[in-house]
Structures are given as C-alpha cells and as structure tokens.
Amino acid sequence: MLCRLLLYVGLLAGGALAAWEDNTKMANRTIERTVNLRTHSIYPPYIDQDLQNRWWDFGADAIVNTNKHIRLTRNRPSEMGWLWTRLPLTTSNFVIEVEFKVSGESNHLFGDGMAVWLTKDRAQPGPVFGSIDKFEGLGIFLDTYANARHSYSFPRIVAMLGDGKTEYDHDNDGESTNIGACSASYRLTNIVPRLRITYFKEEGYLDVKSQYRAWGEWTDCFSLTGVRLPQAPFLGFSALTGAVSDNHDIISVSTYSAILSPKDAPRDKLRTKLWGGSSSRTGEGGSWTWFFLKLFLFAGVCAGGWFGYQEYQRRQRYGGGGGFGMGGAGGMFGGRNGFGGVFYDSKRF
C-alpha cells in the first residue's frame, strides 16, 4: 500500500510539474524567475503605526481592516473607494496577482463592481467603477451588474485599453470597447478568488487568468498580443456601488518583475525546476525520461522488498533458518558476509 501511495504521489507531482511549466510559458517566451516588487505589493496589516503606507494611498470610502482586507466599498448604496500605488511601475515585464473578495447579503441584486488599473494617471475618482472616464492605459473590470441584456452571464471580467479620449461603454457593460472578456463566478465563492495579470512589454503580450473554483485551479480568461501600455503606469484599484451594492475587498496584491528567457532559447528545451528555484537547460523529453526512470527504479525496490518480506514470512512459518530470509546466519540479508549490515548497522548511516 505504501508503494502504491508513493507511486500515485509521484504521478501527481509529475502532473503538477507539467501544469506549472505550462503556466510559465507564454508568447513563445518562458518566465525563468520572478522578483517581488515591494513597492507594488501590499499585505496585512497594510498600514504602519502612523496609519499610513509608504508605497500606497487609499481614499474616498475605503476602509482598512488591518487583520482582513482593504474594503473599497461597503455593502451600501452610492459608495466609492480606491487604492493606488505612489510610484509608477517601471519594469517591462511583470506578473500581478490580486486576492480579492466580492460579497453581500443579496443573491439577486448586487453591484456594481470593481476595477484593476494600469494607467498614466492615478487616484482620480470618477464614474467608471470608481475612477475617471476617458482614461489612458488598461482597465480590467470585475463587473457584477448587467446594465443590458447579453448572451453571456455575470459576474464578468472585462478589459478595456483606453486612449485618453474614448468613453467607457457603460450602458452596454463595455461591450463595444472591450479587448477581451470572460464570465467568471468570483462572487460569494468558497475560496478567496484571485486574478493574475501577466504582461510582456516587447511583445505587447497580455494574459489574464482567474482562480475561483478551487485553490490552485487557474482558469484562462483571455490572452492578447499587441497591447501597449503607458511607459510607466500606476497600479490601482477602485470600486463603486449605485442603487445596488456589495462589499468590494482587496486582500493582498503581489507584483513581480518577470525575467524572461532569451528569444533564441528553444522553448521546449528551457525548463525551470519546480523545487529548488534554479533553471536548467534540459530537454523536455530527457527530463520526463529521467523522471519515469527514477519512478520505475523506485517501484522495483518496493517490489523487491515486498517479495523478500514474503519469503522471510514463509521461511519463518516452515522453520527455515539459513536461507533467503532476513534472520538466517548465512542468508542474503542476515549473514555476516551478506548485505544485512548495510541496512541494520547504524554506524554506516
């Protein structure tokens, strides 16, 4: 049973490795490693002893609960709140992971939603999920209220690339202005939902994933190329309620600078280790061959031990003393000149 259990664990680990590697390979490039950006990350308790944060500003109706969240809006009508970085994001390639929560008492009437911003300007309240209209940069809207009839369901994740002149299509929930969208049931989930935004500047590559079904289960929303953000955008979050309302919470923000593989590196021959944190240029096929070889060797050792134990039990049952069993004076595992000392002599380990 132990061997069988370890075999299953090995297979699951292999599947996790494949999934993790697949998540790091994007736009014909591979994320070799990431570096956390403290200036654009925020975690509990969020504020220092002076009730401030060195790198972030919050305002309007936003409330900080140092043990739980930054609540952008409460479950009350006509509230608005925001959270913005003080410094622009200057790294070319980055990954942003946001833990958030959208909740309320009603299961029928709730809204309006919240937004993630990567824009030229910062901390300007307005009608678009709590920030200004005609913005310049990227807005990713977590829209929970449908203002019009659609063939798709809500809640929804909608992205818009603003040029500083185009208005958000509020009446149609951004349908005419979105560059990518998907439906995702991130409201009132059993886990803390997450949003992951990956951007590579040179390729203009933008990838958005969400996690709301189960821990570690990322769902693709959309991937685009040719997306051009402002030179050094500010990262921000905002939320808005109208006649209907919800609690809109930011729990944590983790921002990473992404170090990519060279362009000329073969995509299928660059592999980042799941354990250990370093990268090695190993063939994909070779890595899997070595994994299965070790798996089969381990299974062989388990099988040999099991058959040896069965033989030992048989010898003991029928009175054999010096044969193959582990207790015989001249046996393979018990004899003075055998291999018994390797397993039982503590001085050797």
Side-chain angles (χ1 to χ4, degrees), residues 132-196:
I132 61 169
D133 204 349
K134 298 182 181 180
F135 57 89
E136 186 174 350
L138 177 68
I140 298 178
F141 311 131
L142 304 177
D143 194 351
T144 57
Y145 184 80
N147 293 297
R149 295 190 175 215
H150 303 285
S151 58
Y152 43 78
S153 62
F154 280 71
R156 194 157 173 83
I157 301 173
V158 182
M160 174 181 171
L161 192 62
D163 57 5
K165 302 176 182 178
T166 304
E167 293 184 353
Y168 170 67
D169 184 11
H170 181 271
D171 292 339
N172 293 303
D173 303 298
E175 188 166 295
S176 64
T177 54
N178 82 73
I179 58 173
C182 66
S183 297
S185 300
Y186 49 77
R187 185 180 181 273
L188 295 176
T189 58
N190 293 325
I191 66 166
V192 177
R194 291 187 177 188
L195 187 71
R196 179 189 289 168

Short mmCIF file of all heavy atoms in Angstrom, two decimals, residues 132-196:
data_model
loop_
_atom_site.label_atom_id
_atom_site.label_comp_id
_atom_site.label_asym_id
_atom_site.label_seq_id
_atom_site.Cartn_x
_atom_site.Cartn_y
_atom_site.Cartn_z
N ILE A 132 -11.81 57.63 -13.16
CA ILE A 132 -12.21 58.55 -14.22
C ILE A 132 -12.51 57.83 -15.52
O ILE A 132 -11.97 56.75 -15.81
CB ILE A 132 -11.14 59.62 -14.47
CG1 ILE A 132 -9.80 58.97 -14.90
CG2 ILE A 132 -10.95 60.50 -13.25
CD1 ILE A 132 -8.78 59.96 -15.40
N ASP A 133 -13.36 58.45 -16.32
CA ASP A 133 -13.61 58.00 -17.69
C ASP A 133 -12.54 58.61 -18.60
O ASP A 133 -11.77 59.48 -18.19
CB ASP A 133 -15.01 58.43 -18.13
CG ASP A 133 -15.56 57.55 -19.23
OD1 ASP A 133 -14.78 56.75 -19.80
OD2 ASP A 133 -16.77 57.66 -19.53
N LYS A 134 -12.49 58.14 -19.83
CA LYS A 134 -11.51 58.61 -20.81
C LYS A 134 -10.09 58.51 -20.25
O LYS A 134 -9.27 59.42 -20.36
CB LYS A 134 -11.80 60.05 -21.25
CG LYS A 134 -13.14 60.22 -21.92
CD LYS A 134 -13.35 61.65 -22.38
CE LYS A 134 -14.70 61.84 -23.04
NZ LYS A 134 -14.92 63.24 -23.48
N PHE A 135 -9.81 57.38 -19.65
CA PHE A 135 -8.50 57.12 -19.06
C PHE A 135 -7.51 56.68 -20.15
O PHE A 135 -7.90 56.23 -21.23
CB PHE A 135 -8.61 56.04 -17.98
CG PHE A 135 -9.19 54.74 -18.48
CD1 PHE A 135 -8.38 53.74 -19.00
CD2 PHE A 135 -10.57 54.51 -18.44
CE1 PHE A 135 -8.91 52.55 -19.46
CE2 PHE A 135 -11.11 53.32 -18.91
CZ PHE A 135 -10.28 52.34 -19.42
N GLU A 136 -6.23 56.77 -19.82
CA GLU A 136 -5.18 56.32 -20.74
C GLU A 136 -4.44 55.17 -20.09
O GLU A 136 -3.73 55.34 -19.10
CB GLU A 136 -4.21 57.46 -21.05
CG GLU A 136 -3.18 57.09 -22.11
CD GLU A 136 -2.30 58.25 -22.52
OE1 GLU A 136 -2.62 59.40 -22.14
OE2 GLU A 136 -1.30 58.02 -23.23
N GLY A 137 -4.60 53.99 -20.65
CA GLY A 137 -3.99 52.79 -20.10
C GLY A 137 -4.97 51.63 -20.10
O GLY A 137 -5.92 51.59 -20.89
N LEU A 138 -4.74 50.70 -19.20
CA LEU A 138 -5.52 49.47 -19.15
C LEU A 138 -6.43 49.47 -17.93
O LEU A 138 -6.02 49.76 -16.81
CB LEU A 138 -4.60 48.25 -19.09
CG LEU A 138 -5.26 46.88 -18.97
CD1 LEU A 138 -6.03 46.53 -20.24
CD2 LEU A 138 -4.21 45.81 -18.67
N GLY A 139 -7.69 49.14 -18.16
CA GLY A 139 -8.64 48.90 -17.08
C GLY A 139 -9.19 47.50 -17.19
O GLY A 139 -9.64 47.08 -18.27
N ILE A 140 -9.14 46.74 -16.11
CA ILE A 140 -9.72 45.39 -16.07
C ILE A 140 -10.85 45.44 -15.06
O ILE A 140 -10.63 45.65 -13.86
CB ILE A 140 -8.68 44.33 -15.70
CG1 ILE A 140 -7.58 44.29 -16.76
CG2 ILE A 140 -9.32 42.96 -15.56
CD1 ILE A 140 -6.47 43.31 -16.46
N PHE A 141 -12.07 45.26 -15.53
CA PHE A 141 -13.26 45.48 -14.72
C PHE A 141 -13.84 44.15 -14.25
O PHE A 141 -14.10 43.25 -15.07
CB PHE A 141 -14.31 46.25 -15.52
CG PHE A 141 -13.76 47.48 -16.20
CD1 PHE A 141 -14.02 47.71 -17.55
CD2 PHE A 141 -12.97 48.39 -15.51
CE1 PHE A 141 -13.51 48.83 -18.20
CE2 PHE A 141 -12.46 49.51 -16.14
CZ PHE A 141 -12.73 49.73 -17.49
N LEU A 142 -14.06 44.05 -12.94
CA LEU A 142 -14.77 42.91 -12.36
C LEU A 142 -16.22 43.34 -12.19
O LEU A 142 -16.63 43.84 -11.15
CB LEU A 142 -14.14 42.53 -11.03
CG LEU A 142 -12.63 42.21 -11.09
CD1 LEU A 142 -12.09 41.92 -9.70
CD2 LEU A 142 -12.35 41.05 -12.03
N ASP A 143 -16.98 43.17 -13.25
CA ASP A 143 -18.34 43.70 -13.37
C ASP A 143 -19.34 42.67 -12.87
O ASP A 143 -19.41 41.55 -13.39
CB ASP A 143 -18.60 44.06 -14.83
CG ASP A 143 -19.84 44.92 -15.00
OD1 ASP A 143 -20.60 45.09 -14.02
OD2 ASP A 143 -20.06 45.43 -16.12
N THR A 144 -20.14 43.05 -11.87
CA THR A 144 -21.11 42.12 -11.30
C THR A 144 -22.56 42.46 -11.65
O THR A 144 -23.46 41.68 -11.33
CB THR A 144 -20.97 42.07 -9.76
OG1 THR A 144 -21.13 43.39 -9.24
CG2 THR A 144 -19.61 41.54 -9.36
N TYR A 145 -22.79 43.61 -12.28
CA TYR A 145 -24.16 44.04 -12.57
C TYR A 145 -24.32 44.30 -14.07
O TYR A 145 -23.57 45.06 -14.67
CB TYR A 145 -24.50 45.32 -11.80
CG TYR A 145 -25.93 45.77 -11.98
CD1 TYR A 145 -26.96 45.17 -11.26
CD2 TYR A 145 -26.25 46.78 -12.89
CE1 TYR A 145 -28.28 45.58 -11.42
CE2 TYR A 145 -27.57 47.20 -13.05
CZ TYR A 145 -28.58 46.59 -12.33
OH TYR A 145 -29.88 46.98 -12.50
N ALA A 146 -25.29 43.64 -14.67
CA ALA A 146 -25.56 43.79 -16.10
C ALA A 146 -26.50 44.97 -16.33
O ALA A 146 -27.64 44.98 -15.83
CB ALA A 146 -26.17 42.52 -16.66
N ASN A 147 -26.04 45.97 -17.08
CA ASN A 147 -26.87 47.13 -17.41
C ASN A 147 -27.72 46.90 -18.65
O ASN A 147 -28.61 47.68 -18.96
CB ASN A 147 -25.98 48.35 -17.64
CG ASN A 147 -25.29 48.81 -16.37
OD1 ASN A 147 -25.93 49.20 -15.41
ND2 ASN A 147 -23.96 48.73 -16.36
N ALA A 148 -27.43 45.82 -19.37
CA ALA A 148 -28.18 45.48 -20.58
C ALA A 148 -28.28 43.96 -20.67
O ALA A 148 -27.65 43.24 -19.90
CB ALA A 148 -27.50 46.06 -21.82
N ARG A 149 -29.07 43.50 -21.62
CA ARG A 149 -29.22 42.06 -21.83
C ARG A 149 -28.10 41.55 -22.71
O ARG A 149 -27.77 42.15 -23.72
CB ARG A 149 -30.58 41.75 -22.48
CG ARG A 149 -31.75 42.08 -21.58
CD ARG A 149 -33.02 41.52 -22.16
NE ARG A 149 -34.14 41.73 -21.25
CZ ARG A 149 -35.13 40.88 -21.10
NH1 ARG A 149 -35.15 39.76 -21.79
NH2 ARG A 149 -36.13 41.14 -20.28
N HIS A 150 -27.54 40.40 -22.30
CA HIS A 150 -26.43 39.81 -23.05
C HIS A 150 -26.64 38.30 -23.14
O HIS A 150 -27.40 37.71 -22.37
CB HIS A 150 -25.10 40.11 -22.35
CG HIS A 150 -24.83 41.57 -22.15
ND1 HIS A 150 -24.46 42.41 -23.17
CD2 HIS A 150 -24.88 42.33 -21.02
CE1 HIS A 150 -24.29 43.64 -22.69
NE2 HIS A 150 -24.53 43.61 -21.39
N SER A 151 -25.92 37.71 -24.07
CA SER A 151 -25.97 36.25 -24.22
C SER A 151 -25.09 35.55 -23.20
O SER A 151 -25.19 34.34 -23.00
CB SER A 151 -25.52 35.86 -25.63
OG SER A 151 -24.21 36.34 -25.89
N TYR A 152 -24.20 36.28 -22.56
CA TYR A 152 -23.29 35.72 -21.56
C TYR A 152 -23.76 36.08 -20.16
O TYR A 152 -24.64 36.94 -19.98
CB TYR A 152 -21.86 36.21 -21.79
CG TYR A 152 -21.75 37.68 -22.11
CD1 TYR A 152 -21.84 38.65 -21.11
CD2 TYR A 152 -21.58 38.10 -23.44
CE1 TYR A 152 -21.75 40.00 -21.41
CE2 TYR A 152 -21.50 39.45 -23.74
CZ TYR A 152 -21.57 40.40 -22.73
OH TYR A 152 -21.49 41.73 -23.02
N SER A 153 -23.16 35.44 -19.17
CA SER A 153 -23.60 35.61 -17.79
C SER A 153 -22.68 36.54 -17.01
O SER A 153 -21.54 36.80 -17.41
CB SER A 153 -23.67 34.24 -17.09
OG SER A 153 -22.38 33.64 -17.05
N PHE A 154 -23.18 37.03 -15.90
CA PHE A 154 -22.44 37.87 -14.96
C PHE A 154 -22.35 37.11 -13.63
O PHE A 154 -23.21 36.28 -13.35
CB PHE A 154 -23.15 39.21 -14.76
CG PHE A 154 -22.89 40.20 -15.86
CD1 PHE A 154 -23.45 40.01 -17.12
CD2 PHE A 154 -22.09 41.31 -15.66
CE1 PHE A 154 -23.24 40.91 -18.14
CE2 PHE A 154 -21.85 42.22 -16.67
CZ PHE A 154 -22.42 42.03 -17.92
N PRO A 155 -21.30 37.37 -12.85
CA PRO A 155 -20.20 38.33 -12.96
C PRO A 155 -19.30 38.07 -14.17
O PRO A 155 -19.28 36.97 -14.72
CB PRO A 155 -19.43 38.15 -11.66
CG PRO A 155 -20.39 37.50 -10.71
CD PRO A 155 -21.23 36.62 -11.58
N ARG A 156 -18.53 39.13 -14.49
CA ARG A 156 -17.75 39.10 -15.72
C ARG A 156 -16.44 39.86 -15.51
O ARG A 156 -16.35 40.79 -14.71
CB ARG A 156 -18.56 39.72 -16.86
CG ARG A 156 -18.01 39.44 -18.25
CD ARG A 156 -19.12 39.57 -19.26
NE ARG A 156 -18.62 39.48 -20.62
CZ ARG A 156 -18.40 38.34 -21.26
NH1 ARG A 156 -18.59 37.20 -20.64
NH2 ARG A 156 -17.98 38.33 -22.51
N ILE A 157 -15.42 39.45 -16.24
CA ILE A 157 -14.14 40.16 -16.28
C ILE A 157 -14.01 40.78 -17.67
O ILE A 157 -14.07 40.07 -18.68
CB ILE A 157 -12.96 39.20 -16.01
CG1 ILE A 157 -13.10 38.54 -14.65
CG2 ILE A 157 -11.63 39.95 -16.10
CD1 ILE A 157 -12.08 37.45 -14.38
N VAL A 158 -13.85 42.10 -17.71
CA VAL A 158 -13.83 42.84 -18.98
C VAL A 158 -12.61 43.75 -18.99
O VAL A 158 -12.36 44.47 -18.01
CB VAL A 158 -15.10 43.67 -19.17
CG1 VAL A 158 -15.08 44.40 -20.51
CG2 VAL A 158 -16.34 42.80 -19.06
N ALA A 159 -11.85 43.74 -20.07
CA ALA A 159 -10.67 44.60 -20.20
C ALA A 159 -10.90 45.66 -21.26
O ALA A 159 -11.49 45.39 -22.31
CB ALA A 159 -9.44 43.77 -20.55
N MET A 160 -10.41 46.86 -20.98
CA MET A 160 -10.50 47.96 -21.93
C MET A 160 -9.17 48.68 -21.98
O MET A 160 -8.55 48.95 -20.94
CB MET A 160 -11.60 48.95 -21.53
CG MET A 160 -11.67 50.20 -22.40
SD MET A 160 -12.98 51.33 -21.86
CE MET A 160 -12.61 52.76 -22.89
N LEU A 161 -8.69 48.98 -23.18
CA LEU A 161 -7.46 49.75 -23.37
C LEU A 161 -7.85 51.17 -23.74
O LEU A 161 -8.33 51.43 -24.85
CB LEU A 161 -6.60 49.11 -24.46
CG LEU A 161 -5.16 49.62 -24.58
CD1 LEU A 161 -4.38 49.33 -23.29
CD2 LEU A 161 -4.46 48.97 -25.77
N GLY A 162 -7.68 52.09 -22.80
CA GLY A 162 -8.10 53.47 -23.02
C GLY A 162 -7.03 54.30 -23.70
O GLY A 162 -5.84 54.15 -23.43
N ASP A 163 -7.46 55.21 -24.59
CA ASP A 163 -6.54 56.10 -25.31
C ASP A 163 -6.61 57.54 -24.80
O ASP A 163 -6.01 58.44 -25.39
CB ASP A 163 -6.83 56.07 -26.80
CG ASP A 163 -8.27 56.45 -27.13
OD1 ASP A 163 -9.03 56.84 -26.20
OD2 ASP A 163 -8.66 56.35 -28.31
N GLY A 164 -7.33 57.76 -23.72
CA GLY A 164 -7.48 59.11 -23.18
C GLY A 164 -8.62 59.89 -23.79
O GLY A 164 -8.92 61.01 -23.35
N LYS A 165 -9.28 59.33 -24.80
CA LYS A 165 -10.36 60.02 -25.49
C LYS A 165 -11.66 59.22 -25.52
O LYS A 165 -12.75 59.80 -25.53
CB LYS A 165 -9.95 60.34 -26.93
CG LYS A 165 -8.70 61.20 -27.05
CD LYS A 165 -8.30 61.37 -28.50
CE LYS A 165 -7.02 62.18 -28.64
NZ LYS A 165 -6.60 62.32 -30.06
N THR A 166 -11.54 57.90 -25.53
CA THR A 166 -12.72 57.03 -25.69
C THR A 166 -13.42 56.84 -24.35
O THR A 166 -12.78 56.56 -23.33
CB THR A 166 -12.31 55.66 -26.26
OG1 THR A 166 -11.61 55.85 -27.48
CG2 THR A 166 -13.53 54.79 -26.50
N GLU A 167 -14.74 56.97 -24.35
CA GLU A 167 -15.53 56.76 -23.15
C GLU A 167 -15.83 55.27 -22.96
O GLU A 167 -15.97 54.52 -23.92
CB GLU A 167 -16.85 57.53 -23.23
CG GLU A 167 -16.71 59.03 -23.21
CD GLU A 167 -18.07 59.72 -23.19
OE1 GLU A 167 -19.10 59.00 -23.32
OE2 GLU A 167 -18.11 60.95 -23.06
N TYR A 168 -15.92 54.88 -21.71
CA TYR A 168 -16.34 53.52 -21.38
C TYR A 168 -17.82 53.35 -21.75
O TYR A 168 -18.66 54.21 -21.44
CB TYR A 168 -16.13 53.26 -19.89
CG TYR A 168 -16.75 51.98 -19.39
CD1 TYR A 168 -16.27 50.74 -19.79
CD2 TYR A 168 -17.82 52.01 -18.49
CE1 TYR A 168 -16.84 49.57 -19.34
CE2 TYR A 168 -18.40 50.85 -18.02
CZ TYR A 168 -17.91 49.63 -18.46
OH TYR A 168 -18.47 48.46 -18.00
N ASP A 169 -18.13 52.24 -22.41
CA ASP A 169 -19.50 51.96 -22.85
C ASP A 169 -20.30 51.42 -21.67
O ASP A 169 -20.54 50.21 -21.55
CB ASP A 169 -19.46 50.95 -24.01
CG ASP A 169 -20.83 50.68 -24.59
OD1 ASP A 169 -21.78 51.42 -24.24
OD2 ASP A 169 -20.96 49.73 -25.38
N HIS A 170 -20.75 52.33 -20.81
CA HIS A 170 -21.41 51.94 -19.57
C HIS A 170 -22.74 51.24 -19.81
O HIS A 170 -23.07 50.23 -19.17
CB HIS A 170 -21.62 53.19 -18.69
CG HIS A 170 -22.28 52.89 -17.38
ND1 HIS A 170 -23.66 52.88 -17.23
CD2 HIS A 170 -21.77 52.59 -16.17
CE1 HIS A 170 -23.95 52.58 -15.99
NE2 HIS A 170 -22.83 52.41 -15.32
N ASP A 171 -23.54 51.76 -20.75
CA ASP A 171 -24.88 51.21 -20.98
C ASP A 171 -24.86 49.78 -21.47
O ASP A 171 -25.81 49.02 -21.25
CB ASP A 171 -25.64 52.09 -21.98
CG ASP A 171 -25.97 53.47 -21.41
OD1 ASP A 171 -25.96 53.61 -20.17
OD2 ASP A 171 -26.18 54.41 -22.20
N ASN A 172 -23.79 49.40 -22.17
CA ASN A 172 -23.68 48.04 -22.69
C ASN A 172 -22.58 47.24 -22.00
O ASN A 172 -22.07 46.26 -22.54
CB ASN A 172 -23.42 48.07 -24.20
CG ASN A 172 -24.61 48.60 -24.98
OD1 ASN A 172 -25.72 48.08 -24.89
ND2 ASN A 172 -24.38 49.67 -25.73
N ASP A 173 -22.19 47.68 -20.79
CA ASP A 173 -21.22 46.97 -19.97
C ASP A 173 -19.88 46.77 -20.68
O ASP A 173 -19.25 45.72 -20.58
CB ASP A 173 -21.78 45.60 -19.53
CG ASP A 173 -23.10 45.76 -18.78
OD1 ASP A 173 -23.09 46.39 -17.71
OD2 ASP A 173 -24.13 45.28 -19.29
N GLY A 174 -19.48 47.80 -21.43
CA GLY A 174 -18.18 47.77 -22.08
C GLY A 174 -18.08 46.88 -23.30
O GLY A 174 -16.98 46.58 -23.77
N GLU A 175 -19.22 46.48 -23.85
CA GLU A 175 -19.19 45.51 -24.95
C GLU A 175 -18.53 46.08 -26.20
O GLU A 175 -17.81 45.37 -26.91
CB GLU A 175 -20.61 45.05 -25.26
CG GLU A 175 -20.67 43.91 -26.26
CD GLU A 175 -22.03 43.25 -26.30
OE1 GLU A 175 -22.44 42.65 -25.29
OE2 GLU A 175 -22.70 43.36 -27.35
N SER A 176 -18.73 47.35 -26.49
CA SER A 176 -18.17 47.94 -27.71
C SER A 176 -16.73 48.40 -27.53
O SER A 176 -16.06 48.71 -28.52
CB SER A 176 -19.03 49.14 -28.15
OG SER A 176 -18.98 50.17 -27.18
N THR A 177 -16.23 48.42 -26.31
CA THR A 177 -14.88 48.93 -26.07
C THR A 177 -13.93 47.88 -25.50
O THR A 177 -12.75 48.17 -25.29
CB THR A 177 -14.93 50.12 -25.10
OG1 THR A 177 -15.63 49.73 -23.91
CG2 THR A 177 -15.63 51.31 -25.73
N ASN A 178 -14.41 46.68 -25.24
CA ASN A 178 -13.54 45.70 -24.58
C ASN A 178 -12.58 45.07 -25.58
O ASN A 178 -12.87 44.92 -26.77
CB ASN A 178 -14.37 44.64 -23.85
CG ASN A 178 -14.88 43.54 -24.76
OD1 ASN A 178 -14.13 42.68 -25.21
ND2 ASN A 178 -16.20 43.55 -25.03
N ILE A 179 -11.40 44.70 -25.09
CA ILE A 179 -10.40 44.00 -25.90
C ILE A 179 -10.32 42.53 -25.53
O ILE A 179 -9.65 41.73 -26.19
CB ILE A 179 -9.01 44.65 -25.75
CG1 ILE A 179 -8.57 44.65 -24.27
CG2 ILE A 179 -9.02 46.07 -26.31
CD1 ILE A 179 -7.14 45.12 -24.07
N GLY A 180 -10.99 42.15 -24.45
CA GLY A 180 -11.02 40.76 -24.00
C GLY A 180 -11.96 40.65 -22.82
O GLY A 180 -12.07 41.58 -22.02
N ALA A 181 -12.66 39.52 -22.71
CA ALA A 181 -13.62 39.37 -21.62
C ALA A 181 -13.93 37.90 -21.41
O ALA A 181 -13.72 37.06 -22.29
CB ALA A 181 -14.90 40.15 -21.92
N CYS A 182 -14.45 37.59 -20.22
CA CYS A 182 -14.92 36.24 -19.91
C CYS A 182 -15.85 36.31 -18.71
O CYS A 182 -15.79 37.24 -17.91
CB CYS A 182 -13.75 35.30 -19.62
SG CYS A 182 -12.84 35.70 -18.12
N SER A 183 -16.72 35.33 -18.59
CA SER A 183 -17.58 35.20 -17.42
C SER A 183 -16.87 34.37 -16.37
O SER A 183 -16.20 33.38 -16.69
CB SER A 183 -18.91 34.54 -17.81
OG SER A 183 -19.62 35.34 -18.74
N ALA A 184 -17.00 34.77 -15.10
CA ALA A 184 -16.34 34.06 -14.01
C ALA A 184 -17.13 34.28 -12.72
O ALA A 184 -17.39 35.42 -12.34
CB ALA A 184 -14.91 34.56 -13.83
N SER A 185 -17.49 33.20 -12.04
CA SER A 185 -18.32 33.29 -10.84
C SER A 185 -17.45 33.52 -9.60
O SER A 185 -17.30 32.64 -8.74
CB SER A 185 -19.16 32.02 -10.68
OG SER A 185 -20.02 31.85 -11.79
N TYR A 186 -16.87 34.71 -9.50
CA TYR A 186 -15.97 35.01 -8.39
C TYR A 186 -16.68 35.63 -7.20
O TYR A 186 -16.05 35.91 -6.18
CB TYR A 186 -14.86 35.95 -8.87
CG TYR A 186 -15.34 37.16 -9.64
CD1 TYR A 186 -15.92 38.24 -8.99
CD2 TYR A 186 -15.24 37.19 -11.02
CE1 TYR A 186 -16.37 39.34 -9.69
CE2 TYR A 186 -15.68 38.30 -11.74
CZ TYR A 186 -16.24 39.37 -11.07
OH TYR A 186 -16.70 40.45 -11.77
N ARG A 187 -17.97 35.84 -7.29
CA ARG A 187 -18.70 36.41 -6.16
C ARG A 187 -19.23 35.30 -5.24
O ARG A 187 -19.75 34.29 -5.70
CB ARG A 187 -19.88 37.26 -6.66
CG ARG A 187 -20.62 38.00 -5.55
CD ARG A 187 -21.77 38.83 -6.12
NE ARG A 187 -22.47 39.57 -5.06
CZ ARG A 187 -23.46 39.07 -4.34
NH1 ARG A 187 -23.90 37.84 -4.59
NH2 ARG A 187 -24.03 39.81 -3.40
N LEU A 188 -19.08 35.48 -3.92
CA LEU A 188 -19.54 34.53 -2.91
C LEU A 188 -19.00 33.12 -3.18
O LEU A 188 -19.74 32.14 -3.28
CB LEU A 188 -21.08 34.50 -2.86
CG LEU A 188 -21.76 35.78 -2.40
CD1 LEU A 188 -23.28 35.63 -2.49
CD2 LEU A 188 -21.37 36.14 -0.98
N THR A 189 -17.68 33.02 -3.29
CA THR A 189 -17.05 31.73 -3.55
C THR A 189 -16.63 31.06 -2.24
O THR A 189 -16.60 31.69 -1.19
CB THR A 189 -15.80 31.92 -4.43
OG1 THR A 189 -14.90 32.82 -3.76
CG2 THR A 189 -16.18 32.49 -5.78
N ASN A 190 -16.28 29.77 -2.34
CA ASN A 190 -15.81 29.03 -1.17
C ASN A 190 -14.33 29.28 -0.88
O ASN A 190 -13.85 28.91 0.20
CB ASN A 190 -16.03 27.52 -1.37
CG ASN A 190 -17.50 27.17 -1.43
OD1 ASN A 190 -18.31 27.77 -0.73
ND2 ASN A 190 -17.85 26.20 -2.26
N ILE A 191 -13.63 29.86 -1.81
CA ILE A 191 -12.22 30.20 -1.62
C ILE A 191 -12.05 31.70 -1.84
O ILE A 191 -12.99 32.38 -2.27
CB ILE A 191 -11.32 29.42 -2.60
CG1 ILE A 191 -11.60 29.86 -4.05
CG2 ILE A 191 -11.51 27.92 -2.45
CD1 ILE A 191 -10.57 29.41 -5.04
N VAL A 192 -10.86 32.19 -1.52
CA VAL A 192 -10.55 33.59 -1.81
C VAL A 192 -10.19 33.68 -3.29
O VAL A 192 -9.20 33.09 -3.73
CB VAL A 192 -9.38 34.08 -0.94
CG1 VAL A 192 -9.02 35.50 -1.32
CG2 VAL A 192 -9.75 34.00 0.53
N PRO A 193 -10.97 34.40 -4.10
CA PRO A 193 -10.67 34.49 -5.54
C PRO A 193 -9.36 35.23 -5.79
O PRO A 193 -8.93 36.06 -4.98
CB PRO A 193 -11.87 35.26 -6.11
CG PRO A 193 -12.91 35.22 -5.05
CD PRO A 193 -12.20 35.14 -3.75
N ARG A 194 -8.76 34.93 -6.92
CA ARG A 194 -7.54 35.59 -7.33
C ARG A 194 -7.63 35.98 -8.81
O ARG A 194 -8.31 35.32 -9.60
CB ARG A 194 -6.31 34.69 -7.13
CG ARG A 194 -5.94 34.43 -5.68
CD ARG A 194 -4.64 33.68 -5.60
NE ARG A 194 -4.22 33.47 -4.23
CZ ARG A 194 -3.04 32.97 -3.88
NH1 ARG A 194 -2.20 32.61 -4.82
NH2 ARG A 194 -2.73 32.82 -2.62
N LEU A 195 -6.89 37.01 -9.13
CA LEU A 195 -6.76 37.45 -10.52
C LEU A 195 -5.27 37.57 -10.81
O LEU A 195 -4.53 38.15 -10.02
CB LEU A 195 -7.45 38.80 -10.73
CG LEU A 195 -7.55 39.31 -12.17
CD1 LEU A 195 -8.57 38.47 -12.95
CD2 LEU A 195 -7.97 40.78 -12.19
N ARG A 196 -4.83 36.98 -11.92
CA ARG A 196 -3.42 37.05 -12.31
C ARG A 196 -3.30 37.76 -13.65
O ARG A 196 -3.92 37.35 -14.65
CB ARG A 196 -2.80 35.67 -12.41
CG ARG A 196 -1.32 35.69 -12.84
CD ARG A 196 -0.80 34.31 -13.15
NE ARG A 196 -0.66 33.52 -11.95
CZ ARG A 196 -0.45 32.20 -11.95
NH1 ARG A 196 -0.41 31.54 -13.10
NH2 ARG A 196 -0.31 31.54 -10.82
#
